[in-house]
Amino acid sequence: MYLNWWTISTQLGVVKVNCKGLACLLVFTVSVCGSAPGMCPAACICASDIVSCTNKNLSRVPGNLYKCMKRLDLSYNRIGFLEPEWVPVLLEKLNTLIVNHNSINSIITGSFSTIPNLKHLDLSSNSLKTLSSPVFQELRELEVLLLYNNQLTQIEPSAFGGLYKLQKLYLSYNVLSHFPLDLYTGKYKLADLMLLDISFNHIQSMPVQRLSLVPAKHLSGIYLHGNPFYCDCVLYSMLIFWYQRHFSSVMEFKNEYTCSLRSDPDGNNKLPLLQDNFLNCSESTINSSFQAFGFIHEAQVGDRLIVHCDSRISDAGTHFVWVSPDNRLLEPDGETDNFRVFPNGSLEITDAQLEDSGLYSCIAINKKRLLNETIEVRINVSNFTLNRSHAHEAFNTAFTTLAACVASIILVLLYLYLTPCPCQCKGKRRKRKQNQSSAHSSILSSTPPQELPAEEKKASTGKRVVFLEPVHEPKHSQNGKVKLFPNDNIIAESILKTTRTKSDSDSVNSVFSDTPFMPST
């Protein structure tokens, strides 16, 4: 036995080690991890490759850690900030680090240089407020990053630079007011990001048009529920499209999507965004959003059209099949009429015709993963010449109607402003009669008219009508003489309440005098 141990110790660098069973395992462990004392700190609990130092009131990471551990739990401690070499030893085997429920308020670049092979990092439930510069750039193998339940208000586009393999990012329960679109577009986009949980933040609007350029395999993992959105038809159309695509982010949290009117900035009255179309969004708005997301494609007769199969199953080994509106099967192996299917799932229509319009279905099948998905796409083919003639006819009809309306308005204006007013005619006729009566009275009057004072002139402007009734039955006591206008038979009524002026009375008295007219002999 002694000879065997000596032989093994001299052959550590050889691939073939002459050992068996437990002795071989022990030698392998010692050769890789070393024999440093204090592999498990007194404040921690160690179990194989797992070290748990939770709730031990630690402000720093213990220095005598087990170098071969793969999981380190430092949750519920007093760690305040992360700086270079805050993990004092190089832990190349560590792939999971849990530092949640601490007091971390800042992260300095280079803080993860001693744990370069980390795949799972949990920094949730801390006091982080901003993420600037690529603070995670050393973690090139990181796949899952948990930052939920912090106080993040701003994230720089370069904050996640270098995380080329990141697949899941949790940012829920922060105070972010803008959607981090740079994660999907731009210089620092994360090509492998399949899940982004940004629920329960302070986001009120979404960049819907720019999100329409993001592939479905990324869109399907965006969780937006719990944000105080403004009620908007474009946002509603996007979420309805996601719902029709059976995205789990919308299907599983349908009741958590609410919105408030812009007249209610405090969000006191939250309305269900996906329950009913209470927004009364127009069909054109919804169709334009569907067209932006690739659900509706427009083409003219004779155009060459390429439609992509935007499936969430787009990895290697996925087979694509298209079904036309007339139930023809279109596969990548062969060409059918003017249709062609590429290996990546794109459908090409070389010469679009009116009969090619309809609802197409793309079926993505991955036999290795036992997954399949069906995507429906509507293609509308129209004839530009025919539409132009219809548009010309519609224009002619509209122009004729407009011309008739203008002519009618002109005739009405001519009738109102060029036809003599009957009131003016009556006024002129009445004035002419007054002039004639005054001239007649001046002829019959024996005394010239007197000049009136200014006050009486104003009073004389009131118009009066006098009704005189002649006597039809003369009295017999006059011996055949006709008595002109006796005092007891004169009936005069004035229909205006103004008093009679002196000139009018004198004129009447001079014309109708009681003194008999005696002809000269």
Side-chain angles (χ1 to χ4, degrees), residues 25-36:
L25 179 61
L26 178 61
V27 170
F28 177 76
T29 304
V30 172
S31 64
V32 175
C33 300
S35 58

Side-chain angles (χ1 to χ4, degrees), residues 339-368:
F339 296 98
R340 180 185 176 187
V341 179
F342 294 96
N344 64 351
S346 298
L347 174 66
E348 179 188 19
I349 304 178
T350 56
D351 185 15
Q353 300 298 322
L354 293 175
E355 55 270 16
D356 296 333
S357 300
L359 189 65
Y360 290 75
S361 298
C362 174
I363 304 174
I365 304 171
N366 191 303
K367 295 181 179 180
K368 294 182 179 179

Side-chain angles (χ1 to χ4, degrees), residues 139-299:
L139 303 177
R140 297 185 179 274
E141 302 296 326
L142 191 65
E143 297 177 356
V144 181
L145 177 58
L146 286 76
L147 292 169
Y148 64 86
N149 196 27
N150 275 273
Q151 301 173 15
L152 291 172
T153 59
Q154 185 179 3
I155 298 177
E156 295 293 334
S158 61
F160 303 107
L163 301 181
Y164 301 112
K165 294 185 178 181
L166 189 65
Q167 300 177 9
K168 297 181 179 181
L169 178 59
Y170 297 85
L171 295 171
S172 58
Y173 290 97
N174 281 282
V175 286
L176 297 172
S177 58
H178 295 88
F179 181 81
L181 188 64
D182 297 294
L183 297 175
Y184 299 98
T185 59
K187 180 180 179 180
Y188 300 100
K189 70 177 182 179
L190 306 178
D192 292 338
L193 187 62
M194 298 299 171
L195 187 147
L196 173 62
D197 186 358
I198 197 168
S199 59
F200 294 98
N201 275 270
H202 292 178
I203 301 175
Q204 295 180 326
S205 60
M206 290 290 296
V208 177
Q209 296 299 328
R210 298 186 64 184
L211 273 177
S212 63
L213 304 177
V214 179
K217 65 179 183 179
H218 298 298
L219 291 178
S220 60
I222 298 178
Y223 291 78
L224 300 170
H225 58 279
N227 281 284
F229 291 117
Y230 282 133
C231 296
D232 180 66
C233 285
V234 179
L235 175 63
Y236 169 80
S237 303
M238 183 190 74
L239 295 177
I240 286 295
F241 177 74
W242 290 6
Y243 188 82
Q244 292 182 357
R245 289 289 306 271
H246 301 284
F247 290 173
S248 58
S249 58
V250 180
M251 298 290 293
E252 297 175 1
F253 299 94
K254 179 180 178 181
N255 297 331
E256 298 290 340
Y257 284 91
T258 59
C259 68
S260 59
L261 300 176
R262 294 186 180 273
S263 58
D264 181 22
D266 297 332
N268 297 323
N269 186 17
K270 293 184 178 180
L271 304 173
L273 187 55
L274 294 177
Q275 294 295 332
D276 299 306
N277 188 11
F278 69 93
L279 294 177
N280 197 20
C281 299
S282 64
E283 185 177 354
S284 60
T285 303
I286 297 177
N287 287 342
S288 62
S289 297
F290 283 6
Q291 186 173 356
F293 281 95
F295 179 74
I296 299 177
H297 293 265
E298 302 286 344

